[in-house]
């Protein structure tokens, strides 16, 4: 596709359920990012992939959060045993370059997670 | 730790007005600064990216300036239209350190342009 695609767009989970959020970046983009945006806040960094390598996961809030990009394209963000504080919009972004040359980021429309 | 502040938090103007959105950051060692637009329930759309060596960037009715030494950027919107209503976010990328790919965002300015 022409842009970054995320699914599902909306997810309602009961507390304690596991969820998986998918991101299809722009074809050929080396870098992939996950950001978390709470209501009324700016996005906050979660994790960064360069191709299939997860180079930075320092923003993941707890060990319940896990991300992967096994073939260097599609990425999945998994949240185990969801808690109410996990409710947020999860944004995926990709860029052509990497590291210092990351350049302009292109964001998907996000996955809005509501944990009841 | 880099902190990004956007003022005002919300702004309501009549159609046709020129307006300025402000962004300030505490650490001037940035690589670039990017302005985004976010419509309700949507992702972020990149508007302008300014490299640290640049003073301004223009795209249509939008003009973004950067004063790195004072830690400030402004987004100027000329002849505002109701379709400009959205949240505008600025984000900075650090120039140094191992995480120079990581954006730090402000909380955004919610703009409403009234017809």
């Amino acid at each position: 596709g022409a842009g970054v695609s995320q699914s599902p767009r909306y997810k309602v989970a009961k507390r304690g359920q596991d969820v998986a959020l998918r991101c299809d970046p722009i074809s050929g983009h080396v870098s992939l990012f996950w950001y978390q945006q709470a209501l009324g806040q700016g996005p906050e960094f979660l994790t960064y992939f360069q191709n299939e390598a997860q180079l930075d996961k320092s923003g993941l809030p707890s060990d319940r959060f896990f991300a992967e990009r096994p073939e260097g394209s599609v990425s999945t963000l998994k949240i185990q045993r969801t808690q109410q504080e996990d409710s947020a919009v999860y944004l995926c972004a990709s860029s052509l370059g990497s590291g210092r040359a990351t350049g302009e980021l292109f964001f998907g429309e996000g996955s809005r997670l509501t944990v009841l | 730790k880099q902190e990004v502040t956007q003022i005002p938090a919300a702004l309501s103007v009549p159609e046709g007005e020129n307006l300025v959105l402000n962004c300030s950051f505490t650490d001037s060692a940035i690589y670039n600064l990017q302005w985004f637009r976010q419509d309700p329930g949507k992702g972020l759309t990149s508007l302008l990216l300014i490299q640290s060596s640049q003073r301004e960037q223009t795209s249509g009715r939008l003009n973004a300036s950067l004063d790195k030494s004072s830690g400030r950027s402004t987004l100027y919107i000329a002849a505002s239209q109701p379709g400009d209503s959205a949240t505008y976010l600025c984000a900075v990328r650090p120039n140094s350190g191992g995480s120079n790919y990581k954006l730090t965002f402000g909380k955004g300015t919610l703009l409403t342009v009234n017809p």
Side-chain angles (χ1 to χ4, degrees), chain A residues 3-4 10 20-21 31-32 34-35 42 47-49 51 58 63 71 76-77 80-83 96 99 107 109 113:
Chain A
V4 178
Y10 304 94
L21 309 176
S31 293
L32 185 144
W34 285 97
Y35 282 80
T47 187
Y48 164 56
F49 289 86
N51 295 311
S58 62
D63 58 8
E71 298 179 357
T76 303
L77 176 65
Q80 297 177 324
R81 306 181 302 283
T82 52
Q83 303 294 316
L96 187 59
F107 281 81
E109 295 204 322
L113 172 65

Side-chain angles (χ1 to χ4, degrees), chain A residues 4-5 7 13 23 25 30-31 33 44-45 47 55 64 68 75 81 90 92 95 100 112 116:
Chain A
V4 178
S5 178
S7 61
C23 173
V30 170
S31 293
F33 302 83
E44 295 196 354
F45 172 84
T47 187
L55 299 187
R64 296 185 295 104
E68 61 182 3
S75 176
R81 306 181 302 283
Y90 291 85
C92 176
S95 70
R100 188 185 174 102
R112 180 179 296 275
L116 302 177

Side-chain angles (χ1 to χ4, degrees), chain A residues 9-10 33 35 37 40-45 48 55-56 58-59 89 91 98-110 112, chain B residues 31-32 34 36 38 40-49 51 89 93-96 98-108:
Chain A
R9 289 291 320 281
Y10 304 94
F33 302 83
Y35 282 80
Q37 186 176 25
Q41 304 294 313
E44 295 196 354
F45 172 84
Y48 164 56
L55 299 187
D56 188 339
S58 62
V89 176
L91 295 164
S98 62
R100 188 185 174 102
T102 296
E104 188 175 3
L105 261 62
F106 296 88
F107 281 81
E109 295 204 322
R112 180 179 296 275
Chain B
Y31 186 70
N32 61 37
Q34 198 165 359
F36 295 90
Q38 187 172 34
K42 301 287 188 181
L44 278 64
T45 300
S46 178
L47 297 173
L48 291 163
L49 185 149
Q51 301 295 346
L89 294 151
R93 172 170 288 126
N95 190 39
S96 59
S99 58
N100 51 17
Y101 44 78
K102 192 183 298 187
L103 294 179
T104 300
F105 283 85
K107 292 183 179 181

